[in-house]
Each structure stands twice: as structure tokens, then as C-alpha cells.
Amino acid sequence: MTKPAEDTIAVRIAKALAERIISGAIEPGARLRQDHVAKEFATSHVPVREAFRRLEAQGLAVSEPRRGVRVASFDLAEVKEVALMRAALESLALRHAAPHLTPAILDRAEEACRACDAATDVRAWEEANRRFHRILVAPCGMKRLLAAIDDLHAASARFLFSAWRSEWEARTDQDHRAILTALRQGDVGTAVATLERHAQWIGERPVQTRSGALRGAFSIEG
């Protein structure tokens, strides 16, 4: 059984590597070497292997026979799958959260919405966007559902960073405001329908790694 201390280290390693993968600092297809990671974090291979398993569970890494663990690649089909899953799960969470959304909670979501509009780069926008969505669905109190949504947001962030790596365009998110307006008016049906459409929206934008390999064409609207 994994010792608690090792498990804590594994979580820390997994979070650090996930951040690098999501931001594009570690490219799709790159090999994750146990010895290098263990040396960087001054630990044994045991928590590193656990960290790799956590990354695999999130869909950020894949284990290949005789080739070790590599950063997972992605394509347009995966982007669409994640968008559809987010639409279904976040809509479910919002329906259950709606009865518990107080004016104070909606005010916090409004602040996150304004932070999205004021973002000057993709990282700031993604953090504010994720905060907006999390604030609205958290009151559902369904821990497994929220954990699944968190993983999907991590995947969405990875796609987003790839799409907007070289160029960021500020935007005002009308869907966020429409969702908030509907919730303040008690119109849960409209809020859920808007969120579902919002999570599924996919446009066209080239996605490239630093090596120049084309991965597909898409854009995600938070």
C-alpha cells in the first residue's frame, strides 16, 4: 500500500506535471522519464509511478508497452468528445446547484465573469473562466461529478492553450452573462440550456505544437 507521505508527493508531482502538459510546456508525445522526474522532485520512483497513473486517469498521459509513459496526443474528435461531456455533466451539476445559488454566490460568479473580460492573456482568461464555471456548479455537492468536471476542464484548458498559444484575442463572453441573468431571474431552464450550448461550441482554429505538427483545427469557448 502507498504510504501517506508518498501519496502526498505523488499528488504534488502529478499537479506539477499536469500544469506543464496543459500549458504546452511539455509537448504531446513527449516521453515522461521516471528517473528524471524522481531526480527533479528528490524522491523515489514509487510516488513518480503513482503520479503517472494519476496523469493517465486524467487523460494527460498514456502508458505504452516497451515505450514507457508519454504525454497523450489529441485531435479534433477528442476535443468534441470533451465538449460534449462537459455540456452533459455541467448541465446536470447546474440543475442540482441552482436551488443553492445565493445572491452572494452569483456575485462571485459575476466577478469571475469580469475577470474573463479583463484577461490580457490566455492563462488569465482560462483561470477566470474555470473559476466562473466552478462557482456555479460547486453547490450541487456531488463530489464525483465535480471531480469529473474538473478533469474535463483540465482537458479543455490544454486544447485552449494549444489553439491560442501564439495569439490571444480578448473577448466579452455573452454566454456567461446570459447564464448569470437567467439564474438571477430564477430561470434555471434557460441557464442550463445556455450552459449546454456554451460548453459544446467549437469553431475553427489551427492547433500546432512547437515542432509545427498540425493537430487539428478547433477553438473552445469556455
Side-chain angles (χ1 to χ4, degrees):
M1 182 178 294
T2 303
K3 297 178 181 179
E6 290 178 335
D7 185 62
T8 300
I9 295 171
V11 170
R12 180 163 57 88
I13 294 172
K15 286 183 177 179
L17 294 178
E19 170 66 20
R20 296 174 195 177
I21 293 170
I22 290 168
S23 68
I26 305 178
E27 286 284 324
R31 184 178 176 186
L32 298 175
R33 299 179 181 274
Q34 282 191 35
D35 51 348
H36 291 178
V37 175
K39 182 177 180 180
E40 177 183 349
F41 290 89
T43 187
S44 69
H45 283 200
V46 174
V48 175
R49 286 195 293 270
E50 174 59 26
F52 285 178
R53 283 192 288 269
R54 289 173 181 270
L55 293 175
E56 288 184 65
Q58 289 181 280
L60 297 176
V62 291
S63 179
E64 302 174 335
R66 298 181 297 279
R67 297 187 65 186
V69 178
R70 294 181 179 275
V71 174
S73 298
F74 57 85
D75 56 23
L76 185 56
E78 184 179 350
V79 178
K80 290 181 177 179
E81 180 183 5
V82 168
L84 288 170
M85 291 177 67
R86 271 192 56 195
L89 297 188
E90 287 193 48
S91 296
L92 173 63
L94 184 58
R95 285 191 183 280
H96 286 271
H100 310 290
L101 291 173
T102 64
I105 293 174
L106 294 177
D107 286 345
R108 286 170 50 215
E110 183 88 44
E111 290 176 2
C113 182
R114 289 196 294 268
C116 281
D117 293 346
T120 57
D121 58 58
V122 64
R123 182 180 293 275
W125 183 89
E126 194 280 327
E127 289 176 355
N129 176 71
R130 193 184 303 205
R131 186 165 70 252
F132 172 85
H133 285 264
R134 179 71 182 192
I135 288 170
L136 292 183
V137 300
C140 78
M142 303 167 75
K143 292 182 179 179
R144 290 189 179 183
L145 177 59
L146 291 172
I149 290 172
D150 285 344
D151 285 347
L152 291 170
H153 268 280
S156 291
R158 187 182 180 208
F159 304 150
L160 184 75
F161 286 177
S162 293
W164 294 93
R165 173 176 291 167
S166 61
E167 180 184 356
W168 168 247
E169 295 176 8
R171 80 277 309 280
T172 297
D173 200 314
Q174 299 301 333
D175 280 350
H176 283 181
R177 299 190 180 285
I179 291 167
L180 280 173
T181 297
L183 289 172
R184 290 190 188 280
Q185 295 174 348
D187 188 351
V188 177
T190 295
V192 170
T194 304
L195 175 62
E196 185 173 7
R197 184 189 70 248
H198 173 74
Q200 288 187 69
W201 189 88
I202 296 179
E204 294 294 320
R205 188 168 186 84
V207 179
Q208 290 186 282
T209 63
R210 291 193 180 102
S211 63
L214 186 64
R215 299 291 175 181
F218 59 84
S219 179
I220 295 177
E221 189 72 30

